[in-house]
Each structure stands twice: as C-alpha cells, then as structure tokens.
Amino acid sequence: MLNGRILVVAFEGWNDAGEAASGAVRSLKDELDMTEIFAVDPELYFDYQFNRPTIAAEDDGLRRLSWPGTVLYAPTVPGAPAESLAADAQLNVSGANSGNIYLLLGTEPSRTWKGFASEIIDAALAADIGGIVFLGAMLADVPHTRPISIFVSSENAQVRAELDVERSSYEGPVGILSVISDAAEKVGIPTLSIWASVPHYVHNAPSPKAMLALVDKLEEIIDVVIPRGDLVNEAAAWEAGIDALASEDEDMAAYITQLEQARDTVDSPEASGEAIAQEFERYLRRRGDGRSDEPWRPPNTT
C-alpha cells in the first residue's frame, strides 16, 4: 500500500519533543542528496510574534534573516514512482529505493491549517508521492538509559494489515501532523505515523538518541539503508552527559531508577505499543498543567 515515492514529514513545535522528529528529518536532508522543490508562503500561515524570524552570520560573513516556513525536498536523482517500498511483510532492508525518499520539514503553522494542508497535499500529488510517513516525538515518563520507545500506527486499514501495526486509540487535541494525515487519506495517499518517547526531564535539550531511534524505525519500514552521519556518536554523548548530571544529584538519580524499574516492568513486546499509546494520551492531557521540569525535586512549601 505504501508504494513508490515516500514522503517523510516532521514539524518543529508541538509534535517535536526534544527536536527528535525535526532533527531526524534534518539529518536525512544532510546525509542524502536532496533539492528543494516546493515551499509555502510564510506570510499566509505564520504569526511572526509566535514564530519569530532569526538572524545569523553565514559563511560569507553576512548576516541574513531566516523565516519560519515549510519546504518539500526531493532527491536530486528521483527514483521511479511505481516501485513498491513495502512489498515484503518481513520489512527486510534491501538498500534500494534511496531515490524515492522525499522530505517535508517545517514549523507548525499558526493559522489557516486547512489551507496549509491542502497546499502540502497538492505538492505531494504533483511529486507523485505514493505514501506519507509522519515523524513525531512526545515527552514521557521514560528513562534516558533505556532504548527509546517507538510507537507506529496508521489510520489506513491496508497499511496496518501489510505492516502489522496498530491504529491509534487517542482522542483529544492534535497537531498539524494529524490534519495533513487526514487530508492525505481523503485523496488516497496512505499514511503511517512513527512517534518517539523523549524523557521529559531533559526536554530543554535536543535528543539525538530519539532522532536515531526514529531513523532506525524508518529504515525498517521503507526498505532503504539510511546514513546515520554523526547521530550514533551524538546519541552516546547525550546519554553520557545525562549520566554525569545524575551522578551529581541523588534525587535525580533515584527518580531515574524509579523510571527504569517501571520501564522494565512493562517493557515486553506485547505490552509496549499499548503502554506508549497510553503515555501519549497522558502527555497530551497534562500539557500546560504547570508541571515542574524537575519532578524529582520535593515541592517548595515556603
């Protein structure tokens, strides 16, 4: 059902804990030979007081503005759009089809989501996209010392049957990924979602370990060997850095031990998907509840 050219999508913002999803797609863009083929007009979809432009010095020494937006990238040498990327149910990685990976990377828009989604779908249809894979990341009560939990789901019955994945049971507020997914399915483009769980106690820093986990799962599903670049070393350094912080803080270390014990209790192949889905629901419902960034600290009662 996921045939031909696959579009891999990630957005900075609400769907992107630890910059894991956007970081994974950005890593793919850096490692693969890609070229820009489409970009939305940022004036139509972004509130610059919420998503401000940035300025930075470039290699030529000049400082230039960078505006929030969304860009579609295609391989410099595209593959044939008719070739199946998920032909075998065992998800064996052949290394073929590297010319069939397309990327969509951007910032979640501030307004006009229906119009935004329509533009993205029109661009996908023009590029002969045969399936869309959405990458997301959520904050969760998980330890950084264990493998990153990954939850794969699809709203498409044929994709679920072919890849043996689940349908999400979540009900509640959604991000732009769900809006684009709904629009894609309505025009006949099958979709799949891959979500990573990021330890909430280190949410202020990018999580290369979660980026790597998303890339690993993506490689399994779309039948192509994906270069990792520096992600493996960066993931190891990220984990070692948190270990060093915890070694100097007994409360934090004890809290992480509790998370490890809870993870080990539920970490079985048959339970992991349901457990991650439940954690996703808890995460969405507790957004904005004033939760401390350091939950291992006792509350200040003075």
Side-chain angles (χ1 to χ4, degrees):
M1 190 66 182
L2 288 178
N3 294 321
R5 297 173 176 174
I6 297 297
L7 177 61
V8 182
V9 177
F11 284 90
E12 299 171 351
W14 201 74
N15 313 277
D16 194 29
E19 301 177 19
S22 63
V25 171
R26 193 170 287 109
S27 176
L28 294 180
K29 183 174 75 70
D30 292 340
E31 294 297 324
L32 301 175
D33 189 10
M34 311 295 289
T35 185
E36 178 181 328
I37 62 171
F38 168 80
V40 301
D41 181 354
E43 297 290 324
L44 299 177
Y45 304 114
F46 295 96
D47 180 346
Y48 297 140
Q49 289 185 323
F50 183 72
N51 293 303
R52 292 183 178 271
T54 59
I55 192 167
E58 298 190 354
D59 293 339
D60 57 9
L62 297 177
R63 283 157 41 92
R64 290 185 174 86
L65 284 171
S66 177
W67 296 88
T70 298
V71 177
L72 175 63
Y73 299 93
T76 301
V77 182
E83 188 172 3
S84 173
L85 297 184
D88 60 298
Q90 300 302 315
L91 303 179
N92 293 325
V93 178
S94 71
N97 299 312
S98 59
N100 279 315
I101 298 179
Y102 287 63
L103 305 175
L104 184 75
L105 180 63
T107 303
E108 187 173 64
S110 307
R111 53 178 175 262
T112 322
W113 280 23
K114 292 181 181 179
F116 181 88
S118 294
E119 274 211 59
I120 298 303
I121 296 304
D122 286 346
L125 291 171
D128 291 321
I129 296 299
I132 302 179
V133 178
F134 297 97
L135 303 186
M138 59 185 175
L139 297 176
D141 295 328
V142 294
H144 71 283
T145 53
R146 297 294 187 264
I148 296 293
S149 298
I150 296 293
F151 178 59
V152 182
S153 66
S154 177
E155 292 299 306
N156 189 288
Q158 288 182 264
V159 171
R160 293 198 302 272
E162 285 185 16
L163 302 182
D164 191 24
V165 298
E166 302 177 29
R167 184 177 192 175
S168 175
S169 60
Y170 168 74
E171 296 179 348
V174 298
I176 192 62
L177 297 183
S178 296
V179 177
I180 297 176
S181 176
D182 181 70
E185 291 286 352
K186 286 179 177 177
V187 299
I189 301 177
T191 65
L192 184 80
S193 295
I194 307 174
W195 282 77
S197 295
V198 177
H200 67 89
Y201 54 90
V202 288
H203 71 93
N204 288 324
S207 177
K209 187 174 180 178
M211 299 175 197
L212 183 61
L214 286 171
V215 172
D216 287 346
K217 179 56 68 173
L218 179 66
E219 182 180 77
E220 286 184 30
I221 289 174
I222 66 173
D223 190 24
V224 62
V225 174
I226 300 174
R228 300 302 195 273
D230 296 327
L231 275 182
V232 174
N233 292 334
E234 290 173 357
W238 174 85
E239 185 168 340
I242 302 171
D243 288 342
L245 289 175
S247 69
E248 300 174 355
D249 189 323
E250 292 183 2
D251 291 332
M252 181 180 183
Y255 178 74
I256 292 172
T257 298
Q258 292 177 4
L259 294 179
E260 290 172 338
Q261 293 171 346
R263 169 66 184 272
D264 293 343
T265 299
V266 301
D267 195 13
S268 61
E270 62 274 9
S272 59
E274 180 181 356
I276 297 168
Q278 291 174 350
E279 183 58 45
F280 183 32
E281 183 172 348
R282 286 195 295 270
Y283 155 67
L284 290 172
R285 288 178 176 172
R286 71 174 179 246
R287 289 181 62 90
D289 64 359
R291 179 175 178 151
S292 170
D293 292 342
E294 299 182 338
W296 58 91
R297 304 285 186 210
N300 185 355
T301 58
T302 60

